[in-house]
Amino acid sequence: MLESYVTPILMSYVNRYIKNLKPSDLQLSLWGGDVVLSKLELKLDVLEQELKLPFTFLSGHIHELRIHVPWTKLGSEPVVITINTMECILKLKDGIQDDHESCGSNSTNRSTTENTKSSVKPRRIQQAAPTDPDLPPGYVQSLIRRVVNNVNIVINNLILKYVEDDIVLSVNITSAECYTVGELWDRAFMDISATDLVLRKVINFSDCTVCLDKRNASGKIEFYQDPLLYKCSFRTRLHFTYDNLNSKMPSVIKIHTLVESLKLSITDQQLPMFIRIMQLGIALYYGEIGNFKDGETEESTCHNKDMLGNITGAEDETRVDMQYPAQYKGQELYSQQEDEQPQGWVSWAWSFVPAIVSYDDGEEDYLGNDPTSTTHQQKAQTLKDPVVSIGFYCTKATVTFKLTEMQAESSYYSPQKVKSKEVLCWEQEGTTVEALMMGEPFFDCQIGFVGCRAMCLKGIMGVKDFEESMNRSETEACFFICGENLNMKGLTYLTNSLFDYRSPENNGTRAEFILDAANHKETYTEIAGMHRFGAFYMDYLYTMENTSGKGSANQQEFSSGKSEDLGTLQEKSTKSLVIGPLDFRLDSSAVHRILKMIVCALEHEYEPYSRLKPDIKGESETMLNPEEAASLEEYIPTRHTSITLLKCTFTIFMAEFNLLDHLLPVIMGEKNSSNFMNTTNFQSLRPLPSIQILVDKINLEHSVPMYAEHLVHVVSSLTQPSDNLLHYCYAHCYLKIFGFQAGLTSLDCRGSYCIPVPIIPSFSTALYGKLLKLSTCWTKRSQIAITEGIFELPNLTVQATRAQTLLLQAIYQSWSHIGNVSSSAVNEALMNEVFQTIGRTSSIMLNDSDES
């Protein structure tokens, strides 16, 4: 019967993750076609073991679980699994820097795992006989594949919470549904065939709300902040491509998400917590937390380097077992999971995607052969890492920054409420975030957007500069503009995504990927990136090549400081950022809002996730023999960053109001923040003089050794290190500015500028500097320079009349003197003389280059 094959698969998953279930009752319910389970507790230890996240589950439960199995139409209708109200609470693992469970295994863990495997495998061999001889193996395989590939999963009211210090981050999704679709991305009952080796799925998320609140010492939230994200809906498309029907896992995996409208709201109290969450992600990515104890990194693929985890090609034996019903008699088998390849905290996401849709031939296991035989192991080793493409696309995103204040109720005993006021808004169109990876040797991330702008809203610090009663235009409120309009640019941000009707996947062809550094650099140039986006483009590429032929198992030798293996790997990390034509207007309203955001971001007492480790290694541990030193000379991994700004316009207006004495001391750490509120009425000053700076191009190059700490320990121990090795012990920075010019202009009441009066004609300059890394390691080598700089300035001309000089002085004093600016400081006669007369010009000429 089909029930004897399908039921154990469903039972194994349910019993694996849920506590205190009776398999006999569950089996009877499944045979009836419908199962309803209430008030279920999740097996938190199993989730932590399988996910290998640097988090621990504080609680996890399901209010109701429903499983519907259409036994009479199992080959044409999907199995539907419905979860009503699922809630999980997580926290960062305590002492995560010393927690070996977060990433890898020590000798005790390995021996325990091996003992578990040895006790489980014999039972698999003994129970490998089929229970129903009327069903041929090929039919079972095909049926199970169709059932698994078409399972529908519906989650209603999903609640996830993360707690750390005083931070409570909660995510609530009203509804999420995953189902299989056809070529046109419509719901369908599909299967993989020899003519169409593709499986497509869709996940729809409805009403996603993200909250970020602060709790007190007792763990209670006194005042609830506005949600970061409120009732946002989005959809995800998944596309799996297989090489053949017998493939154990997809060769290409694409997971792309599209959000039409994303509206974020951040208050001044949420900003430090939001930055803290972002820092956590960066620290986890670079391995600054979640590392091993000393001596536990030897055989691990968990990184403290510039890459995501391994996408393992091997499937655990539990997934293989699910095709053979006789092996489900001992349900305790499914509380164990074999992990022959330890993975990093990020790699779990990619390794679990193939598990959902993977399937095996099963012939050898079905006939009772030992899956741990040499042939089986060789097949597992030949599995290639899939190409994984992750994409996030947003048509329009808005981020609003708000200031909060406490507002008491009319009753004395009523609690206070938090009232928020919008002060700053960031709008962005055509956003793309794409990541492409293939195992460990290749990872690329590209980020871009078509256009953006920033605007002032309401008032700031008591100054009602943009209240509705002021009747100021939107053009005056906008102080930053970059890129193009999405209506003019088109849908280029969706190019080659699963939401692009022109993409290969949507036209029945297989996509081609560039997976080597040389071709990638030729294809994804700055020009190509700006042509696709227009405002901002970033390309981050990490590559790793093994020159010793040992495979990727020893990729941690250099980062773990093992000098005997230096030079076997060639790693490189490059970041290229390009910012398109931009117009940045710094007036009083913009400056005070930006500085207020900085002040709010600094109002916290969080300890940094990572600190500089003390020097615990002696020189004897890092001594190299001549062969090792020569190997190190051949290649040293570096991180290279390039930032380019094109066609920049910076306008610095005379200050219409100046309250910087309440902001700058807080930023400089001289005093605590105070909620100062101005009481003087705001009056707009027109014409408003300003300094306008135009730059054709700014380029900043920065390079630093990838593993500076270990490199410096090695090189500083050498008696006579070569110039090449010393070069890589420095951080290098090269700044080039082309076509810099400055002049005076003014903004009239109509919002238009007068013709700029040149003060500094166009010139170019360059600056180079380098800084020795970990200078404390070089105390015995006083002849080695700690820092060095070179400044090049071929020529510079400054020209200004007396009237222009007075106007420049007035603009400077408006920012340096505190208080409101009097219009008498700039009279009409002075403005007329500056902008309507040529006058005599005094000039200063600087020639040659200065070097320091």
Side-chain angles (χ1 to χ4, degrees):
M1 296 176 61
L2 294 178
E3 290 87 344
S4 62
Y5 286 86
V6 177
T7 300
I9 300 176
L10 300 175
M11 290 175 58
S12 66
Y13 273 111
V14 174
N15 187 64
R16 184 176 203 167
Y17 299 108
I18 296 177
K19 293 181 180 179
N20 304 325
L21 283 182
K22 295 181 179 179
S24 58
D25 296 341
L26 181 61
Q27 183 172 350
L28 290 175
S29 300
L30 280 173
W31 284 357
D34 289 281
V35 176
V36 180
L37 303 172
S38 301
K39 297 181 180 179
L40 305 175
E41 293 292 329
L42 296 175
K43 294 181 179 179
L44 305 181
D45 54 341
V46 175
L47 291 175
E48 291 183 19
Q49 179 185 3
E50 294 192 356
L51 299 183
K52 293 183 176 62
L53 290 171
F55 306 102
T56 183
F57 285 86
L58 298 179
S59 66
H61 62 269
I62 295 175
H63 178 71
E64 184 182 71
L65 172 65
R66 293 178 175 267
I67 303 177
H68 172 69
V69 184
W71 292 114
T72 59
K73 299 180 181 180
L74 200 56
S76 58
E77 291 186 7
V79 174
V80 180
I81 301 175
T82 304
I83 298 175
N84 294 320
T85 306
M86 177 178 177
E87 182 175 2
C88 294
I89 302 179
L90 303 91
K91 60 169 286 190
L92 196 64
K93 285 187 176 180
D94 296 329
I96 189 170
Q97 290 86 343
D98 299 325
D99 191 351
H100 59 274
E101 293 180 356
S102 64
C103 290
S105 58
N106 55 18
S107 58
T108 304
N109 287 341
R110 286 194 293 270
S111 62
T112 303
T113 304
E114 290 170 1
N115 293 336
T116 303
K117 293 179 183 179
S118 62
S119 63
V120 170
K121 290 177 182 177
R123 302 171 77 173
R124 293 183 70 253
I125 299 172
Q126 295 169 5
Q127 299 172 357
T131 59
D132 194 342
D134 296 332
L135 296 177
Y139 175 77
V140 173
Q141 176 186 345
S142 176
L143 173 65
I144 292 178
R145 184 179 66 208
R146 290 176 65 86
V147 170
V148 173
N149 288 346
N150 288 277
V151 170
N152 281 16
I153 301 176
V154 181
I155 302 179
N156 297 315
N157 194 21
L158 173 62
I159 302 172
L160 301 175
K161 292 184 179 180
Y162 170 75
V163 294
E164 178 195 350
D165 296 329
D166 61 350
I167 299 174
V168 179
L169 175 67
S170 60
V171 179
N172 191 333
I173 299 177
T174 302
S175 175
E177 182 179 9
C178 176
Y179 54 88
T180 305
V181 296
E183 294 182 0
L184 300 179
W185 301 99
D186 297 324
R187 190 188 298 263
F189 194 91
M190 304 296 295
D191 195 13
I192 301 170
S193 64
T195 56
D196 188 16
L197 299 170
V198 170
L199 183 66
R200 302 173 182 87
K201 287 182 176 290
V202 165
I203 307 178
N204 289 328
F205 298 89
S206 300
D207 294 345
C208 175
T209 299
V210 181
C211 297
L212 187 60
D213 298 293
K214 180 177 291 189
R215 60 178 182 172
N216 56 24
S218 61
K220 295 182 180 180
I221 300 175
E222 297 179 350
F223 311 107
Y224 286 94
Q225 303 288 325
D226 293 344
L228 281 179
L229 183 66
Y230 183 68
K231 290 189 175 182
C232 176
S233 298
F234 51 95
R235 61 186 188 273
T236 299
R237 291 180 175 180
L238 300 90
H239 189 280
F240 307 97
T241 304
Y242 296 83
D243 288 333
N244 53 67
L245 285 175
N246 297 322
S247 297
K248 294 181 180 294
M249 66 187 308
S251 58
V252 179
I253 302 171
K254 271 195 169 185
I255 305 174
H256 292 175
T257 300
L258 176 63
V259 183
E260 295 290 347
S261 178
L262 186 68
K263 296 181 179 180
L264 296 174
S265 170
I266 302 178
T267 66
D268 50 354
Q269 297 184 31
Q270 290 173 329
L271 185 59
M273 297 186 288
F274 182 78
I275 295 175
R276 178 71 169 176
I277 298 297
M278 299 293 291
Q279 291 174 341
L280 172 63
I282 296 173
L284 290 172
Y285 173 77
Y286 282 105
E288 294 174 351
I289 59 176
N291 292 334
F292 294 87
K293 296 178 182 178
D294 294 338
E296 290 182 357
T297 60
E298 196 163 315
E299 296 181 8
S300 168
T301 58
C302 258
H303 299 217
N304 64 343
K305 44 173 69 179
D306 228 5
M307 60 186 303
L308 296 178
N310 175 39
I311 305 171
T312 178
E315 299 186 31
D316 58 71
E317 292 187 8
T318 302
R319 296 199 290 270
V320 178
D321 291 345
M322 289 177 184
Q323 301 180 14
Y324 312 106
Q327 300 169 4
Y328 290 91
K329 296 178 181 178
Q331 289 297 326
E332 65 275 9
L333 293 178
Y334 305 102
S335 64
Q336 304 289 338
Q337 177 181 0
E338 295 186 63
D339 277 327
E340 299 189 10
Q341 295 183 355
Q343 301 178 33
W345 71 272
V346 177
S347 63
W348 72 270
W350 317 143
S351 63
F352 271 72
V353 170
I356 299 175
V357 296
S358 58
Y359 54 92
D360 290 292
D361 298 342
E363 297 292 343
E364 295 177 5
D365 288 351
Y366 193 89
L367 297 174
N369 293 341
D370 184 2
T372 61
S373 63
T374 304
T375 303
H376 187 275
Q377 292 177 350
Q378 290 175 350
K379 288 184 177 181
Q381 293 174 356
T382 59
L383 291 175
K384 295 182 179 179
D385 291 317
V387 176
V388 181
S389 172
I390 311 294
F392 173 82
Y393 308 91
C394 181
T395 304
K396 185 174 182 178
T398 302
V399 182
T400 304
F401 179 66
K402 302 177 180 179
L403 295 179
T404 58
E405 59 182 14
M406 305 306 299
Q407 189 176 27
E409 293 294 310
S410 57
S411 173
Y412 176 80
Y413 296 100
S414 299
Q416 288 184 322
K417 289 187 177 181
V418 177
K419 181 182 178 181
S420 60
K421 181 177 67 173
E422 302 173 347
V423 296
L424 188 64
C425 178
W426 175 277
E427 295 180 353
Q428 192 167 296
E429 292 184 318
T431 304
T432 296
V433 180
E434 294 176 331
L436 179 66
M437 65 192 78
M438 188 181 70
E440 297 173 350
F442 184 90
F443 174 78
D444 177 64
C445 179
Q446 297 187 21
I447 301 175
F449 50 85
V450 173
C452 66
R453 66 174 185 170
M455 294 186 297
C456 299
L457 302 176
K458 305 292 184 179
I460 182 73
M461 301 175 67
V463 180
K464 301 179 180 180
D465 49 350
F466 283 98
E467 294 287 352
E468 295 181 0
S469 58
M470 297 298 297
N471 294 323
R472 301 185 69 179
S473 66
E474 185 176 295
T475 303
E476 291 181 283
C478 183
F479 65 88
F480 182 85
I481 302 175
C482 183
E484 306 176 39
N485 187 284
L486 188 60
N487 295 330
M488 301 293 293
K489 190 71 173 178
L491 302 179
T492 55
Y493 71 101
L494 293 175
T495 300
N496 286 331
S497 73
L498 296 179
F499 300 95
D500 180 13
Y501 69 92
R502 300 164 298 181
S503 67
E505 291 85 358
N506 290 331
N507 288 276
T509 59
R510 186 160 182 164
E512 299 291 336
F513 299 95
I514 299 176
L515 299 172
D516 65 277
N519 289 336
H520 181 93
K521 187 176 181 180
E522 293 179 0
T523 304
Y524 297 103
T525 61
E526 295 180 354
I527 297 176
M530 294 307 294
H531 177 75
R532 179 183 177 185
F533 298 106
F536 175 85
Y537 171 69
M538 187 203 79
D539 181 27
Y540 165 56
L541 177 66
Y542 171 87
T543 57
M544 176 177 63
E545 296 181 5
N546 195 320
T547 58
S548 64
K550 296 179 182 179
S552 60
N554 295 325
Q555 58 189 300
Q556 277 291 313
E557 284 94 354
F558 185 76
S559 62
S560 61
K562 296 180 67 176
S563 58
E564 64 270 16
D565 293 314
L566 293 175
T568 61
L569 293 175
Q570 291 190 358
E571 299 176 80
K572 191 171 185 180
S573 168
T574 58
K575 303 182 190 74
S576 299
L577 292 87
V578 188
I579 302 175
L582 63 89
D583 186 359
F584 196 7
R585 307 169 189 174
L586 289 173
D587 56 12
S588 294
S589 300
V591 169
H592 283 79
R593 283 167 171 79
I594 294 172
L595 293 181
K596 183 62 177 179
M597 286 187 62
I598 296 175
V599 168
C600 295
L602 296 175
E603 290 182 337
H604 66 83
E605 297 179 355
Y606 301 125
E607 293 292 331
Y609 282 111
S610 60
R611 295 182 179 275
L612 187 62
K613 297 179 181 179
D615 184 12
I616 59 175
K617 295 185 178 181
E619 291 189 4
S620 59
E621 296 182 69
T622 55
M623 292 297 293
L624 299 182
N625 58 41
E627 291 77 11
E628 292 168 341
S631 177
L632 183 60
E633 285 271 10
E634 294 180 3
Y635 187 83
I636 296 177
T638 60
R639 292 192 182 102
H640 183 267
T641 303
S642 174
I643 303 176
T644 303
L645 282 74
L646 303 173
K647 298 295 182 182
C648 306
T649 301
F650 302 96
T651 306
I652 304 173
F653 292 92
M654 173 178 285
E656 297 177 273
F657 61 92
N658 190 341
L659 306 175
L660 298 183
D661 59 326
H662 299 282
L663 297 174
L664 292 179
V666 180
I667 297 176
M668 301 303 294
E670 298 175 3
K671 72 173 186 177
N672 296 327
S673 176
S674 61
N675 294 322
F676 171 81
M677 300 296 289
N678 180 65
T679 57
T680 306
N681 292 331
F682 171 79
Q683 292 183 350
S684 179
L685 178 62
R686 294 294 183 273
L688 184 62
S690 62
I691 302 172
Q692 191 173 75
I693 299 172
L694 304 176
V695 185
D696 290 338
K697 182 178 180 180
I698 301 175
N699 180 252
L700 176 65
E701 305 280 345
H702 181 265
S703 64
V704 65
M706 189 172 291
Y707 308 109
E709 181 178 353
H710 302 297
L711 176 67
V712 170
H713 277 294
V714 170
V715 177
S716 62
S717 65
L718 298 178
T719 305
Q720 291 183 339
S722 65
D723 292 341
N724 182 53
L725 292 178
L726 287 176
H727 174 83
Y728 284 99
C729 291
Y730 286 85
H732 301 268
C733 185
Y734 197 1
L735 174 65
K736 292 176 284 187
I737 301 176
F738 302 95
F740 181 99
Q741 55 183 308
L744 284 169
T745 184
S746 67
L747 180 68
D748 60 24
C749 57
R750 298 186 302 272
S752 59
Y753 293 91
C754 68
I755 299 176
V757 177
I759 299 296
I760 302 178
S762 178
F763 74 96
S764 299
T765 184
L767 174 66
Y768 167 78
K770 65 178 183 179
L771 177 66
L772 187 65
K773 304 294 292 184
L774 300 176
S775 57
T776 55
C777 296
W778 304 89
T779 54
K780 297 181 181 180
R781 298 174 179 270
S782 58
Q783 73 279 10
I784 296 180
I786 296 179
T787 183
E788 181 179 335
I790 300 175
F791 177 61
E792 297 180 0
L793 183 62
N795 60 78
L796 172 64
T797 301
V798 179
Q799 55 188 25
T801 64
R802 180 179 179 277
Q804 294 166 359
T805 303
L806 292 175
L807 184 58
L808 288 171
Q809 182 182 12
I811 295 175
Y812 168 76
Q813 290 178 348
S814 70
W815 289 103
S816 60
H817 294 177
I818 306 304
N820 288 336
V821 178
S822 174
S823 58
S824 61
V826 182
N827 55 48
E828 183 178 354
L830 179 61
M831 295 290 290
N832 291 335
E833 185 176 356
V834 170
F835 296 106
Q836 297 181 12
T837 60
I838 300 177
R840 298 178 56 186
T841 301
S842 59
S843 63
I844 303 174
M845 182 73 70
L846 299 179
N847 295 309
D848 303 326
S849 61
D850 297 330
E851 228 177 89
S852 61

